Each structure stands twice: as C-alpha cells, then as structure tokens.
Amino acid sequence: AQTVTQSQPEMSVQEAETVTLSCTYDTSESDYYLFWYKQPPSRQMILVIRQEAYKQQNATENRFSVNFQKAAKSFSLKISDSQLGDAAMYFCASAGSQGNLIFGKGTKLSVKP
Amino acid sequence: DTEVTQTPKHLVMGMTNKKSLKCEQHMGHRAMYWYKQKAKKPPELMFVYSYEKLSINESVPSRFSPECPNSSLLNLHLHALQPEDSALYLCASSQWLAPSYEQYFGPGTRLTVT
C-alpha cells in the first residue's frame, strides 16, 4: 500500500521569503508520480507541480520547485518569493497504479505581509 | 476549457431525502472521480469511472450511488444519508485513468445532512 506523510500541519512564511514544505512517501511501485496540490480557502484544488520518479531532475514551475530524493523517499516543495496568494492548504500526493491519488494530511501555509 | 463544474454549490438534506450531485467536464477526459473531504482532512477517494464504467469503488456505503451517463457527466445519487456524511464532495477528471495524468478538480459541493 502507498502512504504519504506530511509532518508539518502548519507553516508560516513572511511575504517575499522562501519556505519549504516536507513530504515523505512509501510505495512499492517502480515507476510512480508525485504531486503537490494547493487548496486555497475557496476550496478548488489545483495542481502546483508534478514529479515523475524516473526523472532525476527536480521539477520546477516558476516560483515552485521540488527537492526529490528518491532513495530517501522524500519530496519537498520549495516556494520562493512567497506571495499572499500562496496562502492555502498544500497536499502532497502520490498516484496509485490505477491513477487514484493518495494524499498526505496537508500543510496549512500562512503568508504574513 | 480546463474547468470541472459541480452543482449545487451547497446542499442541505434530511436523512430521509433523496438528492443528487452533478459534475460536468468538457475537456474530453475519460476518467472521472468522486472524493469526499471532511473539514481539515485530505480528500478521500470514493469512486472512479473510466470510459463511463465503474473502475474503483472504495467500499463506499450503498447510500451513495454513482452514475456516469456519458463521458462528460458524473452524478452522485444520495439516499438515506447520515449526519456523518456531511462533507465537501469533490469531483475530478483526468485525460485517462493512469498515474501520469493530472487530475482537474471542481469547486465541490458542500453537503450538510440534518
């Protein structure tokens, strides 16, 4: 069975600063995909970034990047130049073999002006 | 168009009522999902449809009955619900049912069972 663990229930960052959200996972799949989803207070979940496990290069999307450590089964999200609009619940997720998402418990990020 | 729509936005129903939640997408996606999300918790998968056929049922009680009448539409029929079923119900879709494809989520239906 796949599991995803987020050990930080809440995090806070100053506007324009950098913050890193942690995630560890466990899977028996040899090829798998990892995701960070963002759920703002308005509720709609959107994809932030995706990492394919067979790719060694860390994924990057503008101010968002990941630190993917395959051997350690770690998949952290770094947000640079934090903005007020980044305040949200962030979920780390892995995709099961049938495409279903397994989510971590989430990290609530607050951004201070 | 990368939008998944859900209606209604809010629903209050009694334990003896029958109601339905509706989800629609026009992205040509062939996989559609229902998730249940309790407050301050992650979404939990309920059902997955692939090519209008039920692919995954995560041991959901029979008072929840999914239906996929066509490739763009997904319904969740509700009957004899319990107060603990109150939650945010999220619909999602992806191009195909495979791990590599991004899931697009709708805004959800906030359900309250009284």
Side-chain angles (χ1 to χ4, degrees):
Chain A
Q2 292 184 326
T3 60
V4 177
T5 302
Q6 293 178 250
S7 58
Q8 306 155 316
E10 295 188 25
M11 291 283 285
S12 180
V13 64
Q14 205 71 35
E15 196 175 5
E17 297 295 309
T18 296
V19 65
T20 298
L21 308 183
S22 302
C23 173
T24 58
Y25 64 92
D26 195 11
T27 178
S28 57
E29 304 285 340
S30 57
D31 188 20
Y32 52 92
Y33 297 80
L34 299 167
F35 306 84
W36 278 98
Y37 278 87
K38 169 185 177 181
Q39 189 175 35
S42 63
R43 303 175 311 188
Q44 190 145 8
M45 190 96 70
I46 56 172
L47 179 68
V48 175
I49 200 164
R50 170 175 57 189
Q51 176 76 42
E52 299 164 52
Y54 66 87
K55 288 189 176 179
Q56 293 188 345
Q57 186 172 5
N58 288 327
T60 299
E61 287 287 342
N62 300 315
R63 297 183 294 106
F64 298 87
S65 61
V66 299
N67 182 3
F68 175 47
Q69 302 288 327
K70 193 171 183 178
K73 296 185 176 178
S74 171
F75 181 60
S76 60
L77 174 70
K78 185 171 85 170
I79 306 174
S80 304
D81 185 26
S82 297
Q83 301 175 1
L84 296 178
D86 294 334
M89 184 70 85
Y90 286 82
F91 291 102
C92 179
S94 69
S97 59
Q98 297 191 66
N100 51 305
L101 289 173
I102 297 104
F103 289 93
K105 291 186 176 181
T107 297
K108 183 179 179 181
L109 178 66
S110 302
V111 181
K112 297 179 180 179
Chain B
D1 181 9
T2 58
E3 189 179 16
V4 175
T5 59
Q6 290 187 244
T7 53
K9 291 191 187 315
H10 300 275
L11 178 62
V12 179
M13 61 185 290
M15 290 189 286
T16 58
N17 292 158
K18 286 185 180 181
K19 297 286 185 183
S20 297
L21 310 184
K22 179 181 173 180
C23 172
E24 202 160 3
Q25 57 88 14
H26 296 287
M27 295 177 278
H29 289 177
R30 303 314 299 264
M32 296 187 76
Y33 312 76
W34 279 116
Y35 290 87
K36 174 182 178 180
Q37 187 178 24
K38 301 284 277 185
K40 299 184 180 180
K41 299 289 186 183
E44 296 177 347
L45 184 68
M46 300 176 71
F47 303 103
V48 181
Y49 273 82
S50 177
Y51 286 88
E52 296 103 70
K53 294 189 188 309
L54 185 63
S55 180
I56 298 176
N57 177 344
E58 291 286 354
S59 302
V60 179
S62 60
R63 56 186 184 268
F64 294 91
S65 175
E67 178 196 18
C68 190
N70 59 57
S71 60
S72 300
L73 189 57
L74 184 66
N75 297 320
L76 186 62
H77 302 298
L78 314 173
H79 173 55
L81 294 193
Q82 303 297 310
E84 60 265 28
D85 296 323
S86 298
L88 181 68
Y89 288 84
L90 295 169
C91 174
S93 70
S94 63
Q95 190 168 5
W96 285 296
L97 186 58
S100 57
Y101 291 97
E102 173 186 355
Q103 291 187 24
Y104 293 80
F105 285 82
T109 293
R110 174 74 62 191
L111 174 67
T112 303
V113 181
T114 60

